[in-house]
Amino acid sequence: MSDNDGKKTLGVRGGGGRSGNVKQSFSHGRTKNVVVETKRKRVVVPKPGAGAGAGKGGQVGGSGAKRPAGISDAEMERRLKALQAAKAREAEEAAKREADEKARAEERDRLRAEKEQKEREQREAEERLKAKAEEEERIAREAREAEEKKAKAAAAAAAQPAPEDAARKAPRGPDAKPGNAPRRDNDDDRGRGRGGNKDGNRRSGKLTLNQALSGGEGGRQKSMAAMKRKQERARQKAMGGTQQREKVVRDVKLPEAITVAELANRMAERVGDVVKALMTNGIMATQNQTIDADTAELIIEEFGHKVVRVSDADVEDVIQAVEDKEEDLQPRPPVITIMGHVDHGKTSLLDAIRQTNVTSGEAGGITQHIGAYQVKTKDGQVLSFLDTPGHAAFTSMRSRGAQVTDIVVLVVAADDAVMPQTIEAINHAKAAKVPMIVAINKIDKPSANPTKVRTDLLQHEVIVEEMSGEVQDVEVSAHTGQGLDQLLEAIALQAELLELKANPDRPAEGAVIEAQLDVGRGPVATVLVQRGTLRQGDIFVVGEQYGKVRALINDKGERVKEAGPSVPVEVLGLNGTPEAGDVLNVTETDAQAREIAEYRAHAAKEKRAAAGAATTLDQLLQKAKEDENVSELPILVKSDVQGSAEAITQAMEKIGNDEVRVRVLHSGVGAITETDVGLAEASGCPVIGFNVRANAPARNAANQKGVEIRYYSVIYDLVDDVKKAASGLLSNEVRENFIGYANIKEVFKVSNVGKVAGCLVTEGVARRSAGVRLLRDNVVIHEGTLKTLKRFKDEVAEVQSGQECGMAFENYDDIRAGDVIEIFEREEIKRTLD
C-alpha cells in the first residue's frame, strides 16, 4: 500500500490466529487512524487514546471519526497488543542476528589467528632444520677438505724421488738454468681449465645451487668409508703395488638344504664365484637351485669359512619358554574342570552355577564337546570352568581338560556312587597333580546315599574331610540349587591356597580346548589362554597351523579385543583346523609362524609314514602274514569338531581281537564331500558322519558308486554298531532309508499351529508318517516328526518331488528360510557279515 503524503507503514502479524497486516500512518507529526488489513476485509481503527470510546452512532470521542462497524474496545485493545508484541519480536530477532554475526566474526578472527600461528611455527621449524642441515654440510665439507689435504701430502711424500735420482736427472754444466728444469705434469691444471675438477672428472650440464654449495659434487656427498678407501688406493699406488685384503672368516649356518644364492649371501661372497666353484666340482647349478648340506659344506670350506650345522627343529627356538619374573606376575582366575561319570549331572551342575541351560542343546542330553565358560560369583570373583564329556570314548578329551586345569571338581551322583568313568577322572586328576573337590550331586533324590559315595572313594585313595581326610566334599543338588554357594566357597578357598599368578604383559600362550570347521567363519578354535594376553591382530602358530587373530569371541558370544590369563575364547583367523590339545604361541612375524607350522606338518607327515611303513624284508613278511590272518573293517569318519573325530578314532582302534579289527582310513572335520566318497569307494568302506551331513555332490556320487553313508548323533550308537559289525554279533538293524529332501522357501505364522514352513520337495517324496531332520549348513539342528503336511488347504499323506507343500514340526519352531528338511523312514533288516 503506497502513501503519497510521505506516510510510513509498518506491517505486523495480526492477532486472533489470522494472518493480517497492521499499518500505522504518520504524517506531519500527527498520528492518523490505524488501518488493519485482514484476508477478508479492511478495517480502520482509531488511534489509541484519541477518545473515550464510541457512541451509539460509532463516534470516537475527541477525533470526530466514526468507529468502524463491529469493532469493540476489547478487540481494539487486543489488536494494539498484537502490534506491540510484533514490534518486540522484531527487536529481539534483530538483537539475536546482531549477536550471531558478532560471534561468527569472533570465530573467524580466532581461526585466522590460529592459522597464522601454525604457519609461523612451521616456518620457524623449517628455518631451524635448514640451519641445522647447513651446519652439518659445512662440518662435512671441512672434514673432506682436511682429509684431501692429508691425502695430498701423503701422496707427495711418497712420490718424491730419491736424492741420487734427483741429482742424476738435474741438468749439469754451465748451461744449466732454472728454466731448463723438467716440465711439471699439468694434467690436473688442464682438467681444471676444461671445466673439470682436480680428479679429471669433467662437470656436465649447468652449475646448480646444490653443486655450488656441495663443492661441485653434483649434490652427492661421499661417505667417510669411501674417502678412506680412496686414500688407501692412492697410498698403495704410490708405494708401487696393491695390498691383498685380509680374508674375513665367517661362521656359516647350514641347514639340510639351501639355495646357491642364499649360500653366497651367508658367506658374503659373489654368487658368480660360488657358481664357478660348483662347476669346478662338477655340479651345474644356478643361483636359484637347491643343493644339499654336504655339497654346501664342501663349498664353504673351499672359500675358507667355518660350517655350523643347524637342524630344521631350530625354527622353534623363537617360541622357547621364558621364565617370568616374580615382580611381573599378577593374580589370575582359577581354571576349574568338571569331571565325572556320564549322566551324573556335570553339565546340569554347571548350568545351575551359570544360570543357563546347556544340556537342552546336547544330543541325547549328554555332553560330547568340551565347553569353556567364565562365571562371576556373588563375591565378585571370576572362575573359569571347563565342562568335559563323561563317556569312555572321550578319555583323551578329559585328559586334556585335566592338563590345563588348576582345580578338579569330581561330580558323583549320590544315588549311583562311583562308576568306571569316575575312577578314570580320579586317575587323570592324580596324574595332573591338581587338587580335587568332590561334589556329591543329586542329594535331593530319595535314594541318595552320600555316605556310600564317601566310602567308595576310599577304595581309590580319595579321603574326604568327612572321613578325616584333606579332600573337600560338598553335597549339592543341580535341580534345587542346594549347596551351590558352599561349592563356590570351597573352590574360592582352594584357589586362594594355590596363589595362582600369571604375567599378562608377554606374548600369549594357551591350549586348544576344542576346534571345529564352521561354515561361514572357517576354522574356529576354543583356546584357554594360560600366560600373556592374546590380542586381536596377533600372529600365532598352533600345532601344524598358523594364522592371525581376526576376531576373539568370549563364552557369551560377544566380540572382545583381548583375552588375558585363564580366559577362554574362540579364535578366528586360522588357516586350518588344529588338533584339540595343541599349544598356541604368539610369534613376532608371519614368516616365523609359517616356517614353524610347515616344519611341524612335515615332521608329522614323516612320522605317520614311518609308522605305517615296513622298511625291512622281515617287516614286510610279518605284515603280510598278519594281514592274511586278520580281517579288517575299514571305515571313514567325518565329525563336526576335532575332539569328537579324535575320540571316535580312538574308540574304533580299541574294537577288535586277533581275528578282526577296525581301521580308520581317514578322519576329518566338516561336511562329507565328494573326495571322501571317492576315497571310500576306492577302499570299499562306509562313510560315518557324526553330527554332519553329505553335501549334494557327495550324495549323488555315493548313489552312483554305491557307497554307504551312515549318520550318527550319539556316540553310543556308533560304537555299538561298529562293534557288532566287527564281531559278527549282528541283530536286526534299524536302517534309515532317505526318501526325500525339501527346501524351505518361506516361513509363515499360523494361529493354533505355530510356524509353518513353505517347502519345495526337491528329491524323492515327503510322507506324513516319516521321520524328519532339519539341516542348516549340512549340520543337524533338529530331529523329530511332522505335525502337519498340507497341499494348499488339504492335509495329505505324501507330496511328490517338484511339488510345494506346507510342513510343521512337532514341538519345534526354530525354522528358517533356506534350511533343508531330510525325510527318512526306518526299517528293520537282518545283517550278515561277509
Side-chain angles (χ1 to χ4, degrees), residues 521 536 550-554 557-562 572:
R521 298 192 300 172
Q536 187 172 342
R550 184 159 48 89
L552 296 173
I553 301 174
N554 61 12
E558 303 167 346
R559 285 206 174 198
V560 293
K561 293 292 183 183
E562 59 182 28
L572 278 69

Side-chain angles (χ1 to χ4, degrees), residues 667-700:
S667 64
V669 176
I672 299 170
T673 62
E674 201 170 356
T675 306
D676 300 327
V677 175
L679 176 60
E681 182 203 13
S683 307
C685 67
V687 181
I688 292 178
F690 187 75
N691 275 336
V692 295
R693 288 294 181 270
N695 54 29
R699 290 198 303 269
N700 296 334

Side-chain angles (χ1 to χ4, degrees), residues 727-766:
S727 62
L729 300 177
L730 303 177
S731 59
N732 291 341
E733 176 195 10
V734 178
R735 176 172 294 180
E736 294 179 355
N737 294 326
F738 298 104
I739 60 175
Y741 286 89
N743 290 340
I744 299 179
K745 299 297 185 182
E746 193 59 58
V747 179
F748 307 95
K749 288 186 178 180
V750 180
S751 58
N752 301 327
V753 178
K755 287 187 178 180
V756 176
C759 306
L760 174 65
V761 181
T762 57
E763 295 180 30
V765 62

Side-chain angles (χ1 to χ4, degrees), residues 546-582:
Y546 68 96
K548 183 177 182 180
V549 179
R550 184 159 48 89
L552 296 173
I553 301 174
N554 61 12
D555 58 317
K556 301 178 183 64
E558 303 167 346
R559 285 206 174 198
V560 293
K561 293 292 183 183
E562 59 182 28
S566 301
V567 177
V569 287
E570 282 188 339
V571 179
L572 278 69
L574 294 99
N575 70 324
T577 307
E579 298 285 339
D582 287 342

Side-chain angles (χ1 to χ4, degrees), residues 820-834:
V820 178
I821 299 176
E822 184 180 81
I823 305 106
F824 61 93
E825 288 182 342
R826 293 187 175 94
E827 62 175 348
E828 289 188 0
I829 59 172
K830 292 184 179 180
R831 294 185 294 173
T832 58
L833 184 61
D834 299 332

